[in-house]
Amino acid sequence: MIYHDSEHRLWVLSGPSSSYVLHLDEADRPRVMHWGPRLTPEQAASLLLRLPRPGFRPVEDPLEGSFDLIATGGLCYGHAGLQVRFADGTRDLELVFTGQRRTDRELVLAYADRHYPLAVECHYRLYGDVIERHLVLRNEGEPVTVVRADSATWVLPRLNGYRLSSVRGQWGAETRLHRAELPYGETVLTSRRGVTSHQANPWAMVDDGTAGEEHGAVYSCALAWSGSWRLTAQRLPTERVTLSAGAGHDPVTWELGIGEELVTPVCAGLYTEGGFGAASRAWHDHQLRHVLPHAGEIRPVLYNSWEATGFDVSLDGQIRLAESAARMGVELFVVDDGWFGTRTHDAAGLGDWYPNPHRFPDGLGPLIDRVHELGMRFGLWVEPEMVNPDSDLYRAHPDWVIHRPHRRRTEHRNQLVLDLSRPEVGDWLYRTLDELLAKNAVDFLKWDMNRPFTEAGPDERLWLGHVRTLYDVLDRLRAAHPHVRIESCSSGGGRVDLGILRRTDQVWTSDNTDALDRLDIQHGFSQLYPARVMGAWVTDSPNPYTGREIPLDFRFHVAMAGVLAIGGALTEWSQADLDRAAELVADYKRIRPLVQHGRQYRLLPPDGELSAVQYLASDGGEAAVLVHRRARRFGHADPGIPLRALDPDARYRDTATGEVHHGAVLLTHGLFPDLAPGDYASALVHLVRE
Ligand code: GLA
């Protein structure tokens, strides 16, 4: 609900349990009066009485850092979310309010520079307690350089302390949670790589330092953008804190020609109470309701052949794997890299998206038919934004890659990036994939992007343009092939964000499939993103990447925390493992509606001896608990694991043992899962309300 008090130039944007209150001051600056628990319009208006008396003007603006649109100019010395350079070199913006447009859920506040022909609109859209915010800049007269256009600047109220939560990582070690006091100055989370990145992810949470998993207020924001980005968490010495986020990194700028418009991506903000767990659940809920396409679908159990075969792809080999996967209960069979062009290793073939004629002399038809006959859907790996210099595409169009004259073309994994900001490249990309999907009965694409940009040069359009074309091609392909589902992958989890999730169905979380490492990666992933999109494979032991040996049940019980998949060399598994795997797949299918669509409670974090996560059906009727013991230390007995959000007066039956537990006892004394005595013990407990 959006309420406007014209007399006081006040707007109150309220979700079910929070409010965001804006007031336009006498200088037309939108001051954030409140972001926190819900206020009535009357309560919100009373905040104006508490404003400092006008007249006292110290050298530094005492209100610096309290506006939701901060433009360069005047006495503003902190981070400005909006920075421009006019043709005559002027960098100061002097915005005057020009009007508003408003519905129940949407608000547009419009401004224009008082001299230069630049219009700025701030758009707000309410989804429950989530506020989506973006900017529209319109050049109405003379060229202007946009230096920075953050989609949103979120202003926090005064707290007793400030602690920042975010994720950091690298290839094979994505989304590891980092929680530390926010230092004074500017903390910059950023990607300069052209993709969202493994190193950082475009979201942040701030609390006062006392919030826990299930208690405390949390302020968070997340940017919906899959290219380079920058999130600035600023803490001024005056204890004002802002979170400002937008596309592009320093020093990328954008030339806005006459009559042109720049529409920024969306940055969403959310205030929650109930700790980090409640914040995560609210973000999960938002994505399931408003971000993901086909959010209501159950994601199938997938098999992917990459770890089993590498580039050694053959029709017979794939069919053998498919038959084994089908017996295990797999529902979607995905052929990874190595099926196309001359791609028998990673130095050739990217760009040539036709089946390798030696490996598939009759095309993909025979394989696809067999997979469908086995009752599974068929998926294919593509990496269409890339080209190997050793490919027909590159030989025909060497100028299609991102490059600069007089500079080397830096190769990474022997490949270069196609410049999607060039219209002919975007057209080729769409045509090629459209044809691939039209000619082959493909149900699923794993869309990979394995290297960052280099030599991108001063043509700044490329940084935004590449992502825009990517989004456009994905949108058009989905419209033309509505049955096709897409997985976003970028060397594992390098392109996971609310922008790509608007147009893909799941993501590949990490190339690291070691179940122990995965516990940390998945814990960080779950802070913002729901289990419904988190691809998680069970692979071989010892793990091909880390060499660690982990029992099959533990590997499954870790992967069951998301969209379960199998990625092992099944033809080398023992019959006992294949049989046990089939049982575990069946177990997962029983609980997956809870995992994929229920509410998630992180019961115990992954850094202790025991970790656990619970999923609760939205009607509270069923719960699934996954428990992992990484190591038993000192012969300790396992403690009970208190569950969350159950009905204390209800009884819950364990579907495996038939044992009946009282809700009140599970909530206080906890669950004692029957774990094997040693290291790497795990359990799945499925409880149904009686
Ligand atoms: C990337 C992906 C892997 C696999 C390979 C294939 O590394 O993350 O899952 O698809 O590419 O080359």
Side-chain angles (χ1 to χ4, degrees):
M1 193 54 208
I2 298 178
Y3 170 82
H4 175 49
D5 173 346
S6 53
E7 187 194 341
H8 297 105
R9 307 219 294 174
L10 192 80
W11 289 266
V12 185
L13 288 71
S14 288
S17 49
S18 68
S19 292
Y20 184 77
V21 180
L22 278 173
H23 162 62
L24 215 53
D25 73 7
E26 69 285 356
D28 279 1
R29 297 175 303 178
R31 178 157 181 213
V32 180
M33 303 300 298
H34 171 84
W35 187 27
R38 197 173 203 275
L39 295 181
T40 64
E42 190 190 339
Q43 291 162 345
S46 76
L47 296 171
L48 295 175
L49 303 172
R50 303 159 67 98
L51 284 180
R53 236 173 270 157
F56 173 62
R57 280 269 176 267
V59 176
E60 301 244 348
D61 187 340
L63 299 182
E64 177 161 22
S66 67
F67 301 104
D68 101 326
L69 177 65
I70 304 173
T72 31
L75 293 170
C76 165
Y77 301 103
H79 173 74
L82 180 58
Q83 305 171 30
V84 301
R85 201 163 51 226
F86 294 107
D88 64 4
T90 299
R91 289 165 179 268
D92 299 68
L93 266 162
E94 292 187 11
L95 294 177
V96 289
F97 180 64
T98 55
Q100 60 155 332
R101 303 196 294 279
R102 192 163 41 89
T103 64
D104 274 359
R105 290 178 53 201
E106 275 186 75
L107 172 67
V108 180
L109 299 182
Y111 307 85
D113 189 87
R114 68 170 76 243
H115 172 77
Y116 297 95
L118 180 70
V120 178
E121 283 181 359
C122 295
H123 289 240
Y124 309 80
R125 195 182 159 93
L126 271 179
Y127 294 93
D129 288 309
V130 171
I131 305 169
E132 282 194 353
R133 169 57 210 258
H134 73 273
L135 293 185
V136 177
L137 307 184
R138 199 171 306 111
N139 175 352
E140 292 167 344
E142 61 181 74
V144 57
T145 305
V146 180
V147 177
R148 183 91 218 130
D150 282 346
S151 305
T153 300
W154 302 100
V155 178
L156 273 73
R158 297 280 172 112
L159 304 176
N160 290 330
Y162 298 94
R163 182 170 57 167
L164 178 69
S165 299
S166 61
V167 285
R168 68 194 151 87
Q170 62 192 75
W171 176 83
E174 296 87 334
T175 55
R176 278 170 311 137
L177 181 62
H178 183 68
R179 187 162 283 155
E181 186 183 355
L182 179 64
Y184 291 96
E186 292 171 26
T187 300
V188 174
L189 309 175
T190 189
S191 162
R192 302 188 173 95
R193 295 166 188 260
V195 279
T196 323
S197 95
H198 299 81
Q199 287 68 23
N201 198 267
W203 64 261
M205 296 188 187
V206 173
D207 73 299
D208 69 0
T210 65
E213 186 60 24
E214 297 296 333
H215 66 87
V218 176
Y219 300 81
S220 45
C221 73
L223 181 71
W225 185 246
S226 313
S228 288
W229 56 273
R230 176 184 163 118
L231 189 157
T232 310
Q234 174 181 256
R235 180 175 182 177
L236 295 175
T238 51
E239 298 298 349
R240 290 241 172 243
V241 166
T242 51
L243 296 172
S244 198
H249 63 269
D250 294 354
V252 168
T253 56
W254 180 267
E255 298 302 322
L256 200 58
I258 297 167
E260 283 184 352
E261 221 176 56
L262 175 65
V263 180
T264 73
V266 158
C267 180
L270 172 66
Y271 166 80
T272 44
E273 283 165 29
F276 298 108
S280 298
R281 286 186 289 278
W283 281 112
H284 298 170
D285 188 55
H286 175 62
Q287 289 163 77
L288 287 169
R289 281 167 192 258
H290 304 296
V291 176
L292 290 168
H294 313 294
E297 283 182 3
I298 287 280
R299 296 303 311 140
V301 176
L302 169 163
Y303 177 84
N304 180 295
S305 62
W306 174 244
E307 286 200 20
T309 67
F311 290 103
D312 194 9
V313 173
S314 70
L315 176 62
D316 289 350
Q318 293 293 318
I319 287 181
R320 270 198 303 279
L321 286 169
E323 288 170 346
S324 189
R327 280 194 291 274
M328 202 179 273
V330 166
E331 299 154 310
L332 164 62
F333 181 83
V334 184
V335 178
D336 209 279
D337 202 347
W339 61 268
F340 54 93
T342 53
R343 184 81 169 169
T344 52
H345 47 76
D346 69 8
L350 281 177
D352 302 337
W353 298 106
Y354 54 85
N356 179 317
H358 305 293
R359 294 179 162 188
F360 298 97
D362 300 315
L364 292 171
L367 176 58
I368 298 179
D369 289 348
R370 182 68 187 127
V371 167
H372 283 160
E373 228 172 70
L374 289 164
M376 297 184 290
R377 282 175 251 177
F378 180 80
L380 209 52
W381 179 93
V382 289
E383 195 185 0
E385 296 152 79
M386 296 292 155
V387 66
N388 287 120
D390 183 2
S391 67
D392 294 343
L393 182 71
Y394 188 75
R395 282 182 282 274
H397 300 287
D399 56 325
W400 276 14
V401 299
I402 297 178
H403 70 285
R404 300 297 306 157
H406 322 299
R407 296 292 96 182
R408 71 170 72 90
R409 296 181 178 203
T410 302
E411 290 181 23
H412 180 59
R413 216 191 183 207
N414 306 302
Q415 62 197 60
L416 298 163
V417 187
L418 291 172
D419 181 354
L420 299 197
S421 68
R422 294 172 64 141
E424 67 276 30
V425 183
D427 289 349
W428 168 86
L429 183 67
Y430 177 76
R431 262 188 291 109
T432 305
L433 291 173
D434 178 52
E435 199 182 304
L436 183 69
L437 295 176
K439 281 194 179 155
N440 299 283
V442 172
D443 308 298
F444 179 88
L445 286 178
K446 175 179 173 185
W447 185 303
D448 209 339
M449 201 295 185
N450 273 313
R451 60 150 292 175
F453 295 8
T454 52
E455 291 89 37
D459 184 2
E460 315 293 14
R461 299 213 152 219
L462 181 155
W463 294 95
L464 297 188
H466 186 97
V467 180
R468 286 176 166 177
T469 305
L470 169 74
Y471 285 174
D472 178 60
V473 170
L474 284 167
D475 292 345
R476 286 165 64 201
L477 285 173
R478 294 191 78 99
H481 306 275
H483 68 285
V484 173
R485 299 291 175 264
I486 302 177
E487 177 175 53
S488 169
C489 172
S490 176
S491 281
R495 194 154 64 189
V496 181
D497 56 78
L498 296 186
I500 206 75
L501 285 175
R502 208 171 269 289
R503 34 188 66 82
T504 53
D505 300 278
Q506 62 186 76
V507 299
W508 181 218
T509 314
S510 175
D511 278 346
N512 183 348
T513 55
D514 176 304
L516 187 62
D517 290 349
R518 271 297 178 124
L519 285 176
D520 286 294
I521 293 171
Q522 295 181 177
H523 180 71
F525 185 95
S526 75
Q527 302 295 317
L528 203 90
Y529 304 111
R532 160 67 177 67
V533 302
M534 186 179 77
W537 302 354
V538 174
T539 58
D540 298 340
S541 180
N543 183 275
Y545 170 52
T546 64
R548 189 177 280 122
E549 289 185 49
I550 295 186
L552 188 73
D553 277 45
F554 192 96
R555 283 179 273 146
F556 262 94
H557 287 146
V558 171
M560 284 188 197
V563 178
L564 176 69
I566 323 288
L570 296 185
T571 46
E572 284 155 39
W573 285 23
S574 69
Q575 193 54 47
D577 275 0
L578 291 171
D579 293 345
R580 179 65 187 141
E583 287 171 10
L584 289 160
V585 168
D587 285 351
Y588 175 70
K589 287 181 181 169
R590 277 191 287 276
I591 59 144
R592 76 175 155 184
L594 310 179
V595 174
Q596 296 188 12
H597 293 112
R599 272 172 286 146
Q600 187 182 125
Y601 296 83
R602 294 179 293 253
L603 302 177
L604 294 171
D607 46 4
E609 288 175 33
L610 215 57
S611 67
V613 57
Q614 172 192 335
Y615 303 87
L616 186 68
S618 38
D619 66 0
E622 278 182 77
V625 185
L626 291 164
V627 184
H628 313 100
R629 186 206 294 123
R630 58 167 75 198
R632 182 195 278 285
R633 309 280 323 276
F634 312 112
H636 285 157
D638 294 326
I641 305 168
L643 304 190
R644 306 259 191 248
L646 300 182
D647 176 357
D649 298 325
R651 290 160 191 252
Y652 295 84
R653 186 173 40 82
D654 181 326
T655 57
T657 64
E659 208 180 330
V660 175
H661 303 274
H662 287 276
V665 173
L666 289 172
L667 287 166
T668 51
H669 293 268
L671 184 75
F672 289 88
D674 185 21
L675 294 181
D679 297 348
Y680 296 123
S682 62
L684 159 64
V685 180
H686 181 198
L687 300 167
V688 178
R689 185 149 110 178
E690 294 223 299

